[in-house]
C-alpha cells in the first residue's frame, strides 16, 4: 500500500505538466548533460530491472520552472524529482524484508492449525506457541533439582515433570496478568496490538476467568510438594502479579522479572531437601537474576521506540548506547555466581566444562547482537534456551561423575 500511494503521488505530479518527448531529451548537448545535474544516461524505464549501475535521466521542459532529473537505481528502485526537491524513495530490499516479515506474521501457528477455534484465543493468551518463556522459567528449577540430587544419581524425574508443568502454567498465568494490566499499552505497540485482550478477541472478564483456571491447575501441582515448598511457592505470586506494574515505576523492570522468573532456583532445592541451603541456592538464584538482566534487556530493545511513545520504562532505555557494557557485566556476574554455587555444592569437574561452554554462548550473544535489529534481538533472546541447557548438562554430569 505504501508503494501504491507513493506511485500515485508521482503520477499526480507528472499529470500536472506536459510529458517531454524523447526528442526533447536529446535536443542539445547542454540539456542532455548539464553541469549542474547528475550524469546523463540513456532513457530507461525506471521500473525495469537492470544489471547496469545507477543511471540518471535529465528531462528538460520549458513548462517546468526547473528541469527534472530522474534517478534510477536497479538496486534500490529510487526515483527522485530533483527539480521540485521531491524525493520518492522506496527500497526494494526493505520492501521485500517487510513483506517477508508480514508473511511470517500471517502464517498460522500450530494453535490456529490444530486447536478448536473457541480455544485458540486462550492458547495465544498463554503464549503456548512461543515456548521460550516456559524454557526460561523452567531451567532454574531444573538446575536446582539436579543440584539437590544425591551424588552419583540422576535427579528426581517426577519432580522435574511437576516443575515443568508448573513452569508452563505459571508462565501462562504471568502472560495473562501482563495482558490484562497492559491492554491499553499493548494497543499502542506494534508487536503487541494483536494480542487477544488488546485486540478485543477476548474480554478482560474472559481473561480473568482463564487466569483463575490456570492458577487452580498450578495449585494442584503445588499441593504435591512439601509444606515448606508450598509456602515458598505461594509467596512467588506476589512477584507474578506485581511485575507488570514495574515498567511504569522504574527503569529496572528486567531486574524485577529476574526475581520472579528465577524463584524456581529456590523452590526446586526446597522441594527435594525440605529446606534451603543459602550457600548453594542464593548464588544460584542470583545467577538467574543476572542472566535475566542479559536476555530481557536484549529483548526490550525490540520495543524501545514504542516504549518511548507510550511512556513505559526498561533497562534498554536506561542503558541506551552503553547496553553492551552493562549486559557484559551482568553476564560476568551470572557465570561467577554459577561457579560459586557449584563450588559450595561440591560438584564434579564436568560442571565447569559445561559452564565454560555456557559462558561462550552468553558471550556470543552479547558480542554479536545487533541492538538496532528487532529480528536479531529476538534471535539472541530465543537462543538463551541453549544457555540453560548447557548449565543443566553441567549440573547433571557433575553430579553423576
Amino acid at each position: 500500500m505504501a508503494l501504491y500511494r507513493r506511485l500515485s503521488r508521482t503520477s499526480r505530479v507528472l499529470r500536472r505538466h506536459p510529458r517531454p518527448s524523447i526528442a526533447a531529451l536529446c535536443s542539445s548537448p547542454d540539456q542532455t548533460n548539464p553541469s549542474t545535474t547528475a550524469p546523463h544516461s540513456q532513457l530507461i524505464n525506471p521500473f525495469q530491472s537492470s544489471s547496469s549501475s545507477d543511471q540518471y535521466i535529465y528531462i528538460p521542459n520549458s513548462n517546468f520552472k526547473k528541469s527534472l532529473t530522474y534517478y534510477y537505481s536497479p538496486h534500490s528502485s529510487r526515483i527522485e524529482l530533483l527539480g521540485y526537491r521531491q524525493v520518492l524513495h522506496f527500497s526494494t530490499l526493505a520492501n521485500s524484508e517487510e513483506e517477508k516479515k508480514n508473511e511470517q506474521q500471517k502464517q498460522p501457528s500450530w494453535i490456529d492449525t490444530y486447536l478448536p477455534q473457541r480455544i485458540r484465543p486462550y492458547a495465544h493468551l498463554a503464549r503456548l506457541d512461543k515456548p521460550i518463556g516456559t524454557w526460561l522459567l523452567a531451567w532454574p528449577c531444573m538446575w536446582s533439582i539436579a543440584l539437590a540430587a544425591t551424588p552419583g544419581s540422576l535427579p528426581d524425574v517426577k519432580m522435574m515433570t511437576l516443575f515443568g508443568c508448573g513452569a508452563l502454567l505459571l508462565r501462562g498465568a504471568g502472560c495473562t496478568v501482563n495482558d490484562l494490566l497492559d491492554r491499553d499499552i499493548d494497543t499502542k505497540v506494534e508487536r503487541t496490538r494483536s494480542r487477544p485482550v488488546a485486540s478485543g478477541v477476548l474480554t478482560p472478564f474472559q481473561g480473568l476467568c482463564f487466569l483463575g483456571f490456570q492458577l487452580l491447575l498450578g495449585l494442584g501441582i503445588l499441593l504435591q510438594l512439601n509444606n515448606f515448598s508450598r509456602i515458598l511457592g505461594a509467596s512467588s505470586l506476589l512477584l507474578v502479579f506485581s511485575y507488570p506494574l514495574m515498567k511504569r515505576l522504574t527503569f529496572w523492570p528486567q531486574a524485577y522479572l529476574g526475581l520472579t522468573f528465577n524463584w524456581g532456583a529456590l523452590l526446586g532445592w526446597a522441594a527435594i531437601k525440605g529446606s534451603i541451603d543459602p550457600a548453594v541456592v542464593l548464588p544460584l538464584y542470583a545467577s538467574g537474576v543476572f542472566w535475566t538482566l542479559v536476555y530481557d534487556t536484549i529483548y526490550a530493545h525490540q520495543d524501545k521506540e514504542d516504549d518511548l511513545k507510550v511512556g513505559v520504562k526498561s533497562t534498554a532505555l536506561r542503558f541506551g548506547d552503553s547496553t553492551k557494557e552493562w549486559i557484559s557485566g551482568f553476564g560476568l556476574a551470572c557465570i561467577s555466581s554459577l561457579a560459586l554455587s557449584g563450588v559450595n555444592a561440591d560438584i564434579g569437574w564436568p560442571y565447569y566444562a559445561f559452564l565454560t561452554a555456557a559462558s561462550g554462548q552468553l558471550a556470543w550473544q552479547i558480542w554479536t547482537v545487533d541492538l538496532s535489529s528487532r529480528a536479531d534481538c529476538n534471535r539472541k533472546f530465543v537462543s538463551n534456551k541453549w544457555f540453560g541447557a548447557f548449565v543443566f548438562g553441567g549440573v547433571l554430569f557433575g553430579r553423576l561423575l
Side-chain angles (χ1 to χ4, degrees):
M1 290 300 295
L3 175 59
Y4 175 80
R5 289 195 296 271
R6 292 174 181 175
L7 293 178
S8 298
R9 287 198 295 270
T10 305
S11 63
R12 287 197 296 270
V13 171
L14 295 178
R15 281 198 298 269
R16 286 198 289 267
H17 305 283
R19 295 183 181 180
S21 63
I22 296 179
L25 296 176
C26 305
S27 58
S28 71
D30 293 336
Q31 289 178 332
T32 57
N33 191 15
S35 59
T36 58
T37 62
H40 165 71
S41 69
Q42 61 180 353
L43 180 64
I44 59 173
N45 181 354
F47 301 101
Q48 181 177 353
S49 298
S50 171
S51 59
S52 60
S53 59
D54 296 347
Q55 304 178 44
Y56 295 82
I57 307 172
Y58 176 73
I59 304 179
N61 193 301
S62 59
N63 294 322
F64 283 72
K65 293 182 180 179
K66 291 184 180 180
S67 296
L68 294 179
T69 299
Y70 285 73
Y71 167 84
Y72 169 63
S73 168
H75 303 292
S76 65
S77 301
R78 187 169 66 176
I79 304 172
E80 294 180 359
L81 305 180
L82 300 179
Y84 286 90
R85 296 181 181 179
Q86 298 183 21
V87 179
L88 303 178
H89 180 208
F90 54 96
S91 170
T92 302
L93 179 60
N95 284 345
S96 63
E97 290 180 351
E98 183 177 355
E99 289 173 2
K100 184 178 179 181
K101 179 181 177 182
N102 291 336
E103 288 177 1
Q104 291 176 346
Q105 290 177 344
K106 293 178 182 178
Q107 288 179 354
S109 68
W110 64 267
I111 290 176
D112 302 308
T113 303
Y114 298 109
L115 294 185
Q117 189 170 0
R118 293 183 61 183
I119 300 177
R120 291 173 192 172
Y122 298 99
H124 282 297
L125 185 59
R127 315 284 199 276
L128 295 183
D129 56 338
K130 298 176 181 178
I132 180 59
T134 302
W135 280 115
L136 296 176
L137 186 61
W139 278 131
C141 305
M142 304 307 172
W143 301 346
S144 187
I145 292 172
L147 202 59
T150 305
S153 62
L154 289 170
D156 191 326
V157 176
K158 177 185 175 182
M159 198 62 66
M160 292 177 65
T161 303
L162 287 174
F163 272 77
C165 295
L168 180 66
L169 290 169
L170 187 60
R171 190 262 182 144
C175 291
T176 304
V177 172
N178 184 79
D179 286 9
L180 288 172
L181 295 179
D182 286 353
R183 60 185 182 275
D184 295 332
I185 294 176
D186 286 345
T187 57
K188 303 174 184 177
V189 178
E190 180 181 355
R191 186 178 57 83
T192 60
R193 63 184 54 168
S194 61
R195 288 177 175 174
V197 177
S199 63
V201 176
L202 292 178
T203 65
F205 179 74
Q206 289 174 314
L208 196 62
C209 292
F210 182 57
L211 174 63
F213 174 71
Q214 293 174 97
L215 293 178
L216 185 62
L217 293 179
L219 178 63
I221 293 176
L222 189 64
L223 292 177
Q224 298 185 54
L225 307 181
N226 56 58
N227 290 333
F228 181 81
S229 299
R230 292 173 186 173
I231 297 172
L232 187 63
S235 62
S236 68
L237 293 178
L238 177 63
L239 295 171
V240 172
F241 284 108
S242 59
Y243 161 68
L245 302 175
M246 292 300 109
K247 66 184 73 174
R248 298 170 174 83
L249 304 176
T250 176
F251 279 101
W252 294 85
Q254 281 69 29
Y256 201 84
L257 179 66
L259 297 175
T260 306
F261 248 51
N262 295 280
W263 199 256
L266 306 175
L267 189 58
W269 182 281
I272 300 297
K273 300 288 189 180
S275 62
I276 286 179
D277 184 351
V280 176
V281 175
L282 292 184
L284 187 67
Y285 181 56
S287 70
V289 175
F290 289 126
W291 179 39
T292 304
L293 279 164
V294 173
Y295 68 67
D296 207 52
T297 298
I298 293 174
Y299 184 80
H301 271 272
Q302 296 180 94
D303 300 328
K304 54 190 175 185
E305 291 86 2
D306 291 323
D307 289 347
L308 282 172
K309 292 178 184 178
V310 300
V312 299
K313 302 175 176 66
S314 71
T315 49
L317 297 178
R318 171 64 179 82
F319 301 153
D321 293 336
S322 301
T323 292
K324 289 201 174 185
E325 288 80 0
W326 278 92
I327 60 178
S328 295
F330 295 140
L332 181 61
C334 170
I335 299 301
S336 300
S337 298
L338 284 170
L340 178 60
S341 180
V343 169
N344 292 339
D346 194 24
I347 200 168
W349 64 266
Y351 173 75
Y352 302 100
F354 275 86
L355 189 59
T356 301
S359 303
Q361 200 279 339
L362 198 61
W364 167 78
Q365 288 185 56
I366 296 170
W367 291 343
T368 64
V369 63
D370 181 1
L371 296 174
S372 63
S373 169
R374 293 186 177 185
D376 193 50
C377 287
N378 187 66
R379 280 193 296 269
K380 297 302 189 296
F381 169 73
V382 172
S383 73
N384 279 277
K385 61 187 177 184
W386 300 113
F387 176 86
F390 280 130
V391 176
F392 176 73
V395 177
L396 181 64
F397 287 101
R399 275 293 181 231
L400 286 174
L401 300 179

